[in-house]
Amino acid sequence: VQYVLYLLAVSPLTMLNEYGEPCGIDEKCLAQKLGVDNITIPFCSTAVSEYGAYNRTWQCREPSVRMYDRGSIFKLLFSQLPDWEALQKIQREGLGIRKAEGYGQILFLRPDIFEELHQKYDRAEKDSCQKSEKIAQRRARLQWIMDNVNRVYTNGLSKSQVGQIQAECEKAAVNGGKLGELKRYFRKNEDREDEQSRRFVNIHKLVDNILNTPLQETLGVFYDDKDDTVQERLYLLVQLFDFSRKSEKRGKA
């Protein structure tokens, strides 16, 4: 039977080996402190940095020491249960060198607590990534709208006509991305075969291009398939038309 604990470095940490040299974790010494025959470390996740010190007595800097950074974690395997009092003592007093300066503070975690913390970390990291993606998408949308606002009125449409197209796009988005009414609206205005109809043909091409192109390709940022819907593309067009109508130097009254 093997028993498992996780050692978490709450502050930078290193122990000294039998020659007085920094060695990270000295399994033999730690086993003695915990009252077990031996300890093995099959897994660890660590980062290492150098930490200096200042000797106030001698008023000089001491040589820097390489230590495991705070947050480093080690999986410890025991052939027998470690002494509970010894665990508590190490957690109170610290482990390794320079404990009086705050180094060597550690926690021992049971596997169930470690797994719970690991899951919380994964969720937090996932939430952070999703927030970063959303921010990047929002910035890309705004930049795309700014870059493409001039395309709206190159066709000679008035602000009121663009407003009607915007309203049709909004209705289609609210109706779950169904494009039937939007297509009929363009067909009705294009069938007149006059100057007005040609203006609608050109804006129709812009709308179709956005609706038939993945958002990732349009905006140049990552979009998950579940987020790249017809509705989202319609709302992008709505934002473009809305901005173009409210901008003072765009379109006709």
Side-chain angles (χ1 to χ4, degrees):
V1 178
Q2 285 189 319
Y3 301 94
V4 179
L5 282 177
Y6 289 88
L7 187 157
L8 173 65
V10 181
S11 66
L13 160 73
T14 189
M15 299 175 70
L16 301 180
N17 62 18
E18 57 186 311
Y19 304 107
E21 300 169 335
C23 63
I25 300 293
D26 185 333
E27 292 97 327
K28 184 177 179 181
C29 178
L30 183 57
Q32 291 174 349
K33 287 178 177 291
L34 294 175
V36 296
D37 292 336
N38 58 72
I39 294 174
T40 56
I41 304 177
F43 167 82
C44 65
S45 177
T46 66
V48 177
S49 298
E50 291 194 357
Y51 293 87
Y54 185 80
N55 190 313
R56 293 185 180 276
T57 302
W58 296 100
Q59 296 186 358
C60 65
R61 292 190 176 277
E62 295 182 354
S64 59
V65 180
R66 289 176 68 81
M67 297 188 187
Y68 288 120
D69 285 330
R70 181 178 61 180
S72 295
I73 195 159
F74 306 82
K75 182 178 182 180
L76 309 180
L77 294 184
F78 309 88
S79 58
Q80 62 204 94
L81 278 173
D83 181 74
W84 174 251
E85 293 296 332
L87 285 171
Q88 293 291 324
K89 183 178 180 181
I90 293 175
Q91 288 190 145
R92 284 195 308 270
E93 298 179 357
L95 181 67
I97 64 172
R98 293 167 59 175
K99 297 188 288 290
E101 301 171 43
Y103 294 96
Q105 300 301 304
I106 61 102
L107 283 176
F108 290 106
L109 305 175
R110 298 195 313 266
D112 57 322
I113 295 177
F114 171 77
E115 289 301 327
E116 184 178 347
L117 290 173
H118 193 270
Q119 289 171 6
K120 286 182 179 179
Y121 173 79
D122 285 344
R123 288 196 295 270
E125 188 174 38
K126 183 178 180 182
D127 290 344
S128 177
C129 289
Q130 289 175 341
K131 287 179 182 178
S132 296
E133 286 178 2
K134 294 297 182 184
I135 291 172
Q137 290 168 2
R138 188 157 55 245
R139 288 175 176 170
R141 290 172 81 95
L142 293 174
Q143 186 62 54
W144 182 86
I145 290 168
M146 295 292 291
D147 292 342
N148 288 272
V149 66
N150 288 324
R151 297 175 64 186
V152 176
Y153 291 104
T154 55
N155 306 301
L157 294 174
S158 66
K159 283 189 175 182
S160 60
Q161 289 170 325
V162 172
Q164 184 59 47
I165 297 170
Q166 177 185 334
E168 294 296 331
C169 288
E170 284 182 298
K171 283 194 291 184
V174 171
N175 290 329
K178 296 178 181 178
L179 302 175
E181 288 190 29
L182 180 63
K183 290 180 178 179
R184 283 194 290 274
Y185 171 81
F186 277 117
R187 242 189 339 262
K188 180 182 71 174
N189 284 281
E190 291 169 0
D191 286 346
R192 293 181 305 190
E193 297 184 355
D194 57 10
E195 182 63 27
Q196 270 303 65
S197 69
R198 282 193 292 275
R199 296 173 183 173
F200 279 95
V201 168
N202 290 329
I203 200 72
H204 192 185
K205 288 180 181 178
L206 171 63
V207 171
D208 277 348
N209 180 55
I210 300 304
L211 293 179
N212 293 310
T213 304
L215 284 173
Q216 183 165 320
E217 184 177 333
T218 298
L219 301 178
V221 292
F222 174 77
Y223 261 87
D224 192 276
D225 289 342
K226 65 181 177 60
D227 295 325
D228 186 3
T229 62
V230 174
Q231 286 171 291
E232 279 301 308
R233 299 177 193 180
L234 284 164
Y235 283 128
L236 178 62
L237 286 165
V238 168
Q239 289 177 308
L240 174 66
F241 295 143
D242 187 58
F243 179 76
S244 71
R245 291 171 53 241
K246 292 176 180 177
S247 180
E248 295 180 358
K249 296 181 180 180
R250 306 297 173 191
K252 303 175 182 178

